[in-house]
């Protein structure tokens, strides 16, 4: 018997450590008895956003468009095109609610729980939030350093 999990060494790349917190319903289902997760239940970093972008472009963009605006070739031929993810009603969704939609589907959109791992689905949620911010940010809400950099680039 091992004295600790550390005795096993570093897990292979791409694997997930199953530990005590792994049964967290907010992480696994996007909700618990209190309702939908109001924040992504793990830290959001550049690597997670990169993963979210990759999975979004693979699984979501064909219908929702690369910008999440609902503009895509397949959407033009759908009887009921996908909505823009920038609509206020979708921007107002709790992250856990969006996680559930990705997992289980909604309307004609299929669920992706069988195709995407839990971390991949949360990464998409984080990326969608970043897309929503990027397409709806006001210049006066940005840090002064970014405003100066933007001004220098457009002149």
């Amino acid at each position: 018997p091992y004295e600790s999990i550390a005795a096993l060494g570093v897990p292979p790349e791409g694997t997930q450590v199953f530990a005590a917190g792994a049964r967290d319903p907010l992480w696994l289902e996007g909700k618990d008895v209190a309702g939908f997760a109001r924040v992504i239940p793990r830290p959001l970093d550049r690597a997670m956003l990169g993963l979210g972008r990759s999975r979004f472009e693979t699984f979501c963009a064909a219908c929702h468009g690369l910008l999440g605006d609902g503009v895509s070739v397949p959407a033009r031929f759908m009887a009921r095109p996908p909505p823009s993810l920038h609509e206020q009603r979708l921007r107002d969704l709790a992250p856990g609610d969006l996680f559930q939609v990705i997992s289980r589907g909604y309307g004609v959109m299929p669920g992706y729980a069988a195709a995407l791992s839990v971390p991949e689905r949360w990464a998409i949620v984080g990326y969608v939030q970043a897309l929503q911010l990027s397409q709806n940010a006001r210049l006066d809400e940005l840090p002064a350093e970014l405003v100066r950099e933007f001004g220098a680039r457009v002149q």
Side-chain angles (χ1 to χ4, degrees):
Y2 294 102
E3 293 191 23
S4 74
I5 192 125
L8 298 174
V10 177
E13 186 176 332
T15 61
Q16 297 175 23
V17 176
F18 186 82
R23 295 196 186 273
D24 176 7
L26 283 176
W27 175 248
L28 296 174
E29 297 293 327
K31 67 179 184 174
D32 62 9
V33 294
F36 288 113
R38 301 299 307 164
V39 296
I40 296 173
R42 299 290 189 274
L44 186 61
D45 59 16
R46 187 174 295 273
M48 188 173 178
L49 284 175
L51 176 64
R53 178 181 181 181
S54 169
R55 297 309 183 264
F56 180 89
E57 289 176 353
T58 300
F59 290 91
C60 312
C63 294
H64 287 284
L66 283 173
L67 296 178
D69 56 7
V71 177
S72 69
V73 173
R76 290 193 330 231
F77 298 99
M78 294 179 177
R80 186 172 179 195
S84 167
L85 300 174
H86 304 292
E87 291 178 14
Q88 191 62 48
R89 68 183 178 90
L90 297 179
R91 292 180 68 215
D92 290 341
L93 285 179
D97 198 354
L98 184 54
F99 177 85
Q100 286 263 315
V101 169
I102 295 166
S103 300
R104 297 183 178 178
Y106 186 84
V108 297
M109 177 184 142
Y112 289 96
L116 295 163
S117 68
V118 168
E120 288 172 319
R121 284 177 269 153
W122 279 116
I124 291 172
V125 171
Y127 184 69
V128 166
Q129 289 180 326
L131 273 178
Q132 290 170 332
L133 283 173
S134 75
Q135 300 301 303
N136 294 285
R138 293 184 8 204
L139 196 56
D140 63 349
E141 294 174 335
L142 297 175
E145 179 182 318
L146 288 178
V147 173
R148 282 191 301 276
E149 181 182 333
F150 175 74
R153 288 182 183 208
V154 295
Q155 290 180 358

